[in-house]
Amino acid sequence: MMGKSGLLAVMGWRNLWRNPRRTGLILVAVGIGVWSTLSFTALLQAWSASSLQTALIDMTGQGQIHARGYLDNPGVAHRMAPPRASLKALLKRPEVQQWASRVRVPAAIQSAYETLPVSLIGIDPAREQGLSFIATAVSAGQPLASADSPGILLGRELARRLRIKVGQRIVLMSQDANGALAERGFKVNGLFSATRQAEKRYVFVGIRQAQSMLGIGQSITGIAFNLHNINHLSRFLGQLRQVVPKLDVQSWETLRPVAKAVSQLSNSFILMWIFIIFVLMALGIVNTLLMSLHERVRELALLQALGLRPNLIFTQVMMESALVVLLGVVLGMVLAAVTVLAFHNGLNLGFLARGSEWLGAGQVLYPRLNISQFLGIGALIWVLGFTASLLPAWRIVHRVPIEAINRSPS
Amino acid sequence: MNVKPSVRLAFAVGCVWLLFSNVALAASDPTALVKAMLQHWRGDSSYTEITMRIHRPDWQRSMQLLSWTRGKQDALVRFIAPPGDSGNATLKLGPSLWLFNPKLSQVIKLPFSMMAQNWMGSDFSYNDLAKSEQIVTDYTHTFGSVKEHGKHQIFTVVSIPKPNAPVVWGKVILNIRDDDVLLDETYYDQNMKPVRQLKTLQVSSLGGRPYPVVMRMSQLDKPGTWTELHYTKGVFNLQLPGYLFTLSNLRNPRPWNIP
Amino acid sequence: MIALAWRNLWRRPHRTILTLLAIAFACLVMVFLLSLQVGTYASIKESSLGLFDGYAQIQKPGYLRDPNIRKSFPHTGEMVRSLEAITGISTVAARAQSYALLSKGSHSLAAMIVGVQPGAERRVSRITAMMRSGHYLRNPKAAEIVLGDALARNLGVSVGSRVTLLGMGRDGSVAADILNVVGVFSSGIKDIDRQLAEMPLLRFQTDFAMLGKVNLLVLSGDSLGSVNGALPAIQRLLKPKGLVVLDWQKLEPGVKGMIELDARTSLLWYAALVIVAVAILLNTIFMSVLERTRELGVLLALGMRPAAAGRMVWLEILMLLAMGIVLGMGLGAATDSWFAVHGLNLPGAQGVFSRWGISGLMYTKLTVFSLFTGPAVLAVCTALAGVFPFLHVSRLKPVAAMRAP
């Protein structure tokens, strides 16, 4: 049996290359189908992940810890102590990618021309790398050097409304730990670009400057963190809640319910698109295969007339089908891999935001090579192609040979 | 009597030296001059009656108010005319500002977010009321120039905000007369462009001292927009009862007369 | 020639039908998705505007950029009537507003106080129906106020409490009042719930010395489209009065930006879909041409000119396209009408749209744009791509073709 199938396989392979154009066209059909499905999936997933990332990097992070009551009424009255040994140990675990303490209170910012409400955020700049947008968003002047830096960072839009430039001074007013007015002059270190909302609402200072201005010593108002793998989040949150039962631990899903909904909606859309591409591609592949089989009716009938048993012909034809579809699938996977890797450094969709008010919200997509997904989809398409050839191949092979030969070759 | 020429000369020199030393003293410490100006303006305590006139390109309003100050920290202002504004009062106790409105018969603490708002619709903000001492504490001062004007010398003091001071201005330039009367105070933005100015339009005697009895605060980038203070009466360094600067008095004013 | 092309198509029904299905499917998808997008955008626009801003507003020039209570204008019955007479406008609601201090006990907060006409306001703003406790304003003259829930919470008031209002009137005098909290609303938008308070317009005008003037007129109609259509007539009416009318793009530039960004991004996906579809179609056509090489060779040998044979093939493509597109558009329109009534429930949609207070069902909206654009692009691209098979066929040599395997 092995010998026979081996022979059939070799015959099948050589058959394929006897008519390179036909084989080529099948390869192209399958290849395009696989390539488009895989690339689309990777790009759409990257887009969904990028949208989520854009939401999380807006000072949210994957999870946050606060004192109880802070989220309802964010102010120094609901501050918390800096993380103690047990909490710190948990945050220092390798599964945590970044974590940072912050002091965030409502404040008013004043220039010679305007007074505007803002959210004052005291940060440790080094710890915000990868956690929030501020680490990379400074577009003019200098970023904050350290947690002690005496300067302040404003959004470009806020600076425009205040009529303030880098190097000039503004006054920040807020309420201190005793309920009295806390105010201080800050020199503008730099301006940052981000979403319009962020530019209008956030101002950043060194965390220790914020603490001393508000008179809260070492206290903070919250901690934000990111894990390497967002799928481990709920387990980690459970562990956090055990270590600090008196504090309020929340995930991004409760902090940003709209981001969660958008993420879900994106996933639904992704599925829809993949289904669409799949159907389109399936129609194309089936059609191509059918046509190729029909074209070979005379040749197959001749083989039968020459004595080759229908079952063997059938097996051989199926082998050819299986081989060519497999080749096409592999070709498509390689092309898709190349496409994904080509955008390894990110596909910048910033040009889409140009001209609209969302300059600064430009998204960069990082498509990822998901091997199991690739193999899964590739296998699925291979099975599809194989199955699509079954019925027509069976019907063609079992037709009466004379009839077939007499058929006009059209 | 027959004084020796050398003694007379020494005496003359001594007089001249004394004359100039006063000026020299003041001229050597601009901060002291600014302090002296504030002290002259408010005394250790003061009671003043003021007509406030708010002028805009298309309308104008006039109000009358009474003002008590105690030291550098406390002040009470009560409006007595016109009837629509009568009874409104503002109390400053240390850094906090409290408002009273007779229609509400309620005392309200001003939140920090409203500190930059205009006070009673004028060109003075609540900050101006609350931080009158700021010109001394939060700036460093240098002399600009000295000018002669009639019988007086006028000192120009350039005030630059200290590094972390909560001041929005780039600089403030004051022109103070040699008798400690403030002639004008000009506020510059961070680009050193003049934005608002408090100018004395008339100096005459009030409460026994030369006083800027008519002052105008104007917005330099908005022509026809200013507020004028006309001082009609002033008593300085008088005894003020403690109850005057309390919340309960703000709500229920006890009768008070100039002692 | 046309008859020949037609018969050619139906000699291999399976092949033709499969290709037809592919074309129809691609068209169906594009019509459906575009209609879904158009419908969703319309939903988003109407709900975000219907929450508080209204479909259009009439203001004094410069008020939008720099709101100042002094930028006001008289509110005459005659103007309201002439506005309501314009087709497309159903309600005109007047408002006057200012930032003022609200306080209760020792808590005082700055809030945006808006004087409204309770009856008209119900027809232009959905907030009136989002009361979490108590009820919305009823009496145009009473000392009543409704607040956002976060504002109420931060002030420490609830239904039945009294709050003090302190602000500055239009003429600079002190505006002061004591109002009863009759309701607390929850719009879901933090900025609104933390800062907005509404009171009856007549009382606002008395407190703030408005002398019967208002700061803006909010316009509403059957739909955003009907109001947009009425804008030119409104502009003509307002010109002599020195007022301006602002459309939704000026009122909600954030929504406009978001829709633009989404539209441009989806353009990418649609372009990719068209490319993939055209590639697959082209491939199919080439396959069929290849399969018919012998037959074409016979035709050429019989005297048909190569270019004519090429044209015949091209005609077949066009006929396939025409049938497929018509089928696709028909199916697309049918699907649309079903979803336009029943709505599409995608997981996650509820969460996204709840922020504007509407349900999560996504409705499609069939417009000329959504019906024709996708299929038209597909048709043009495929017809152009048909050049390649045309060229291939017109270069066939009869003898070589007849001998093809």
Side-chain angles (χ1 to χ4, degrees):
Chain A
M1 221 32 212
M2 271 303 278
K4 224 189 280 183
S5 18
L7 185 63
L8 287 176
V10 169
M11 270 178 68
W13 176 261
R14 274 199 291 185
N15 266 347
L16 282 180
W17 296 110
R18 265 192 305 125
N19 194 337
R21 262 207 209 126
R22 180 178 60 202
T23 306
L25 281 173
I26 301 177
L27 277 180
V28 167
V30 176
I32 288 186
V34 172
W35 170 74
S36 54
T37 313
L38 290 175
S39 303
F40 242 78
T41 312
L43 279 175
L44 285 172
Q45 283 177 332
W47 180 66
S48 175
S50 167
S51 298
L52 180 60
Q53 177 68 349
T54 308
L56 294 187
I57 213 171
D58 184 20
M59 304 317 294
T60 308
Q62 290 173 9
Q64 290 188 2
I65 308 171
H66 299 287
R68 289 208 183 274
Y70 173 83
L71 285 172
D72 257 350
N73 205 342
V76 285
H78 297 286
R79 57 189 183 275
M80 57 181 265
R84 279 194 299 266
S86 49
L87 179 57
K88 254 206 179 131
L90 195 55
L91 289 170
K92 284 209 166 105
R93 291 242 219 109
E95 57 189 317
V96 176
Q97 198 175 37
Q98 300 105 2
W99 70 273
S101 295
R102 294 175 182 154
V103 170
R104 180 173 175 171
V105 294
I109 192 170
Q110 195 186 6
S111 74
Y113 295 101
E114 278 270 18
T115 305
L116 296 166
V118 292
S119 192
L120 166 65
I121 311 182
I123 55 169
D124 183 346
R127 305 198 69 92
E128 295 287 335
Q129 280 286 347
L131 184 59
S132 66
F133 69 93
I134 191 60
T136 51
V138 176
S139 60
Q142 298 292 324
L144 292 175
S146 73
D148 291 296
S149 261
I152 191 172
L153 294 177
L154 309 178
R156 280 174 321 161
E157 178 66 17
L158 184 62
R160 192 188 62 80
R161 291 197 65 191
L162 291 170
R163 300 206 239 168
I164 275 288
K165 302 207 255 289
V166 172
Q168 295 182 343
R169 180 213 309 254
I170 47 86
V171 173
L172 263 187
M173 296 182 279
S174 186
Q175 207 170 33
D176 71 10
N178 301 319
L181 174 69
E183 53 175 2
R184 194 182 275 202
F186 284 87
K187 201 142 157 236
V188 176
N189 239 29
L191 304 180
F192 65 84
S193 308
T195 66
R196 205 138 184 268
Q197 270 291 93
E199 283 189 18
K200 286 202 304 197
R201 297 306 308 266
Y202 300 147
V203 300
F204 296 94
V205 297
I207 192 171
R208 282 199 257 288
Q209 295 287 337
Q211 286 167 330
S212 83
M213 172 179 158
L214 299 168
I216 56 176
Q218 302 274 1
S219 304
I220 58 177
T221 61
I223 296 177
F225 60 86
N226 269 354
L227 302 179
H228 281 286
N229 190 339
I230 201 171
N231 298 317
H232 298 157
L233 190 60
S234 42
R235 185 167 47 95
F236 189 73
L237 290 179
Q239 289 168 336
L240 272 178
R241 286 186 181 117
Q242 282 190 322
V243 170
V244 281
K246 294 219 184 91
L247 295 179
D248 189 11
V249 177
Q250 297 286 351
S251 89
W252 67 273
E253 300 188 350
T254 31
L255 292 168
R256 301 285 296 266
V258 175
K260 175 173 172 58
V262 168
S263 172
Q264 269 183 315
L265 192 57
S266 296
N267 288 339
S268 304
F269 263 100
I270 289 173
L271 282 175
M272 200 163 67
W273 272 103
I274 293 175
F275 173 71
I276 289 169
I277 296 280
F278 196 84
V279 168
L280 208 55
M281 167 210 65
L283 284 172
I285 290 179
V286 167
N287 209 1
T288 310
L289 280 172
L290 273 183
M291 286 195 284
S292 81
L293 285 173
H294 274 260
E295 195 200 356
R296 299 170 62 192
V297 161
R298 263 179 33 133
E299 165 202 344
L300 298 174
L302 210 58
L303 281 174
Q304 272 199 7
L306 286 175
L308 211 52
R309 281 216 317 279
N311 284 345
L312 281 180
I313 301 179
F314 175 73
T315 316
Q316 198 222 353
V317 165
M318 287 315 299
M319 273 207 185
E320 283 178 32
S321 244
L323 271 175
V324 77
V325 173
L326 183 63
L327 259 181
V329 164
V330 167
L331 179 66
M333 292 208 303
V334 165
L335 278 177
V338 165
T339 313
V340 167
L341 289 174
F343 293 119
H344 184 74
N345 285 330
L347 167 63
N348 196 332
L349 290 185
F351 66 91
L352 290 175
R354 197 171 300 147
S356 83
E357 307 213 318
W358 289 63
L359 216 53
Q363 282 178 298
V364 183
L365 303 190
Y366 294 97
R368 288 273 163 266
L369 202 59
N370 188 335
I371 303 282
S372 49
Q373 206 174 59
F374 263 45
L375 290 178
I377 292 184
L380 189 63
I381 294 177
W382 184 69
V383 168
L384 168 82
F386 187 80
T387 320
S389 327
L390 271 176
L391 188 59
W394 183 261
R395 291 224 320 242
I396 287 170
V397 163
H398 286 265
R399 239 180 236 127
V400 177
I402 319 272
E403 255 190 55
I405 297 178
N406 280 346
R407 233 174 207 274
S408 56
S410 273
Chain B
M1 112 181 161
N2 221 356
V3 185
K4 278 219 240 146
S6 56
V7 175
R8 237 186 301 168
L9 184 61
F11 184 65
V13 169
C15 280
V16 170
W17 182 85
L18 261 175
L19 189 66
F20 276 112
S21 72
N22 262 338
V23 171
L25 196 65
S28 64
D29 188 355
T31 310
L33 180 60
V34 176
K35 274 195 190 152
M37 179 271 291
L38 275 180
Q39 181 68 15
H40 180 92
W41 197 13
R42 276 188 321 222
D44 290 326
S45 63
S46 76
Y47 166 72
T48 48
E49 291 177 14
I50 303 174
T51 301
M52 181 156 82
R53 208 174 283 163
I54 303 177
H55 188 276
R56 295 284 179 265
D58 47 348
W59 55 272
Q60 180 164 287
R61 242 154 71 82
S62 218
M63 295 182 272
Q64 281 172 324
L65 57 106
L66 311 175
S67 163
W68 296 260
T69 67
R70 175 175 71 185
K72 301 182 178 118
Q73 292 297 331
D74 306 328
L76 171 67
V77 175
R78 196 180 293 285
F79 287 81
I80 54 174
D85 298 306
S86 170
N88 272 297
T90 308
L91 173 67
K92 169 170 142 63
L93 277 180
S96 305
L97 272 181
W98 302 83
L99 308 177
F100 173 72
N101 182 281
K103 253 192 272 177
L104 310 173
S105 70
Q106 210 185 326
V107 162
I108 298 173
K109 183 163 185 219
L110 193 71
F112 68 81
S113 50
M114 303 263 298
M115 290 292 277
Q117 297 284 332
N118 287 336
W119 175 56
M120 298 294 287
S122 74
D123 292 297
F124 296 96
S125 68
Y126 291 107
N127 265 336
D128 290 324
L129 290 180
K131 299 204 229 162
S132 40
E133 194 62 17
Q134 195 182 40
I135 189 67
V136 173
T137 54
D138 284 334
Y139 293 77
T140 49
H141 311 89
T142 50
F143 276 115
S145 62
V146 181
K147 285 195 286 279
E148 294 276 339
H149 185 88
K151 286 181 278 174
H152 296 279
Q153 287 188 309
I154 300 176
F155 300 95
T156 305
V157 177
V158 177
S159 315
I160 306 286
K162 292 180 181 163
N164 277 342
V167 169
V168 296
W169 310 113
K171 72 179 175 196
V172 179
I173 296 189
L174 302 126
N175 280 314
I176 306 175
R177 224 164 64 167
D178 52 13
D179 54 356
D180 299 332
V181 172
L182 176 68
L183 291 182
D184 59 64
E185 187 171 354
T186 311
Y187 298 84
Y188 292 74
D189 71 4
Q190 295 278 328
N191 293 318
M192 299 308 168
K193 177 175 149 223
V195 173
R196 71 201 284 246
Q197 185 184 56
L198 179 64
K199 197 179 173 92
T200 299
L201 298 179
Q202 187 185 330
V203 182
S204 42
S205 182
L206 187 80
R209 53 179 71 185
Y211 206 80
V213 293
V214 180
M215 301 186 89
R216 177 192 284 199
M217 176 70 94
S218 42
Q219 307 282 0
L220 294 175
D221 54 350
K222 292 187 196 146
T225 307
W226 42 258
T227 301
E228 268 176 8
L229 298 175
H230 295 248
Y231 288 79
T232 50
K233 194 190 196 102
V235 182
F236 299 93
N237 297 329
L238 67 163
Q239 273 283 42
L240 288 176
Y243 70 73
L244 210 52
F245 300 96
T246 60
L247 286 177
S248 53
N249 184 58
L250 181 66
R251 202 178 290 121
N252 288 318
R254 277 158 66 170
W256 177 89
N257 290 306
I258 304 172
Chain C
M1 177 68 88
I2 294 184
L4 191 60
W6 179 259
R7 264 191 306 155
N8 277 344
L9 281 179
W10 292 109
R11 263 189 285 146
R12 278 267 191 253
H14 291 141
R15 171 187 63 179
T16 303
I17 289 182
L18 273 175
T19 316
L20 258 184
L21 280 179
I23 298 175
F25 183 73
C27 286
L28 161 67
V29 157
M30 282 201 278
V31 170
F32 176 70
L33 285 180
L34 272 177
S35 304
L36 189 64
Q37 249 187 323
V38 171
T40 311
Y41 290 165
S43 251
I44 290 177
K45 279 188 256 181
E46 300 206 347
S47 355
S48 61
L49 292 168
L51 185 69
F52 186 67
D53 284 327
Y55 291 161
Q57 284 186 8
I58 294 177
Q59 303 174 354
K60 258 227 136 97
Y63 184 81
L64 186 70
R65 195 143 208 260
D66 195 11
N68 186 325
I69 197 174
R70 294 200 53 77
K71 291 190 186 137
S72 53
F73 53 93
H75 174 219
T76 59
E78 168 247 327
M79 177 151 75
V80 172
R81 275 192 298 278
S82 24
L83 282 169
E84 283 180 353
I86 301 177
T87 346
I89 305 291
S90 64
T91 314
V92 178
R95 289 186 192 154
Q97 53 193 37
S98 174
Y99 266 98
L101 208 55
L102 281 180
S103 65
K104 165 119 181 99
S106 55
H107 292 166
S108 29
L109 291 171
M112 172 71 137
I113 315 289
V114 182
V116 301
Q117 297 175 298
E121 189 72 15
R122 276 174 214 271
R123 294 196 292 275
V124 301
S125 163
R126 242 183 7 258
I127 285 182
T128 60
M130 293 166 119
M131 308 309 297
R132 184 181 257 202
S133 57
H135 59 84
Y136 189 66
L137 304 169
R138 287 186 191 149
N139 188 333
K141 293 211 179 112
E144 296 180 336
I145 191 169
V146 295
L147 325 149
D149 63 357
L151 181 57
R153 205 170 36 229
N154 290 337
L155 267 180
V157 302
S158 53
V159 176
S161 313
R162 306 181 77 186
V163 287
T164 307
L165 169 73
L166 191 67
M168 188 170 85
R170 196 175 155 272
D171 58 353
S173 63
V174 172
D177 206 346
I178 303 186
L179 302 166
N180 292 316
V181 177
V182 298
V184 173
F185 60 80
S186 176
S187 72
I189 301 198
K190 272 199 294 213
D191 278 343
I192 288 188
D193 291 338
R194 250 205 309 245
Q195 292 187 63
L196 181 67
E198 297 187 11
M199 63 183 283
L201 177 66
L202 288 171
R203 198 166 179 106
F204 182 99
Q205 286 172 320
T206 316
D207 287 341
F208 286 81
M210 299 294 294
L211 299 176
K213 299 208 177 117
V214 297
N215 292 120
L216 44 95
L217 294 177
V218 179
L219 304 174
S220 184
D222 288 326
S223 70
L224 182 57
S226 67
V227 171
N228 284 340
L231 288 180
I234 300 176
Q235 262 158 354
R236 279 194 300 271
L237 185 67
L238 294 178
K239 211 153 182 225
K241 299 191 208 272
L243 298 171
V244 291
V245 61
L246 301 169
D247 64 5
W248 76 271
Q249 298 184 38
K250 298 215 187 70
L251 293 175
E252 290 270 350
V255 171
K256 171 170 182 260
M258 185 190 81
I259 288 181
E260 265 180 11
L261 185 62
D262 188 75
R264 290 185 206 191
T265 315
S266 49
L267 208 62
L268 272 184
W269 310 134
Y270 286 134
L273 179 66
V274 168
I275 291 175
V276 169
V278 169
I280 288 177
L281 283 174
L282 199 61
N283 190 291
T284 311
I285 290 164
F286 256 115
M287 180 57 113
S288 99
V289 162
L290 191 66
E291 191 204 349
R292 296 156 61 192
T293 310
R294 262 198 311 259
E295 160 208 342
L296 288 169
V298 168
L299 280 175
L300 290 175
L302 285 178
M304 188 187 253
R305 281 203 312 278
R311 272 203 303 276
M312 178 184 78
V313 167
W314 201 55
L315 258 179
E316 290 171 25
I317 296 173
L318 287 181
M319 278 195 258
L320 262 179
L321 258 184
M323 282 194 288
I325 283 177
V326 166
L327 180 63
M329 277 170 48
L331 284 175
T335 333
D336 271 0
S337 27
W338 196 85
F339 280 112
V341 172
H342 293 98
L344 174 69
N345 192 353
L346 281 178
Q350 171 67 38
V352 173
F353 298 116
S354 67
R355 71 183 293 214
W356 291 296
I358 51 168
S359 82
L361 289 178
M362 297 166 75
Y363 294 95
T364 56
K365 187 168 168 178
L366 197 61
T367 64
V368 167
F369 172 79
S370 63
L371 184 61
F372 287 98
T373 316
V377 170
L378 186 66
V380 166
C381 288
T382 313
L384 284 177
V387 151
F388 294 104
F390 168 81
L391 284 176
H392 174 84
V393 170
S394 36
R395 291 215 194 100
L396 282 180
K397 299 278 184 293
V399 176
M402 284 197 286
R403 270 210 247 130

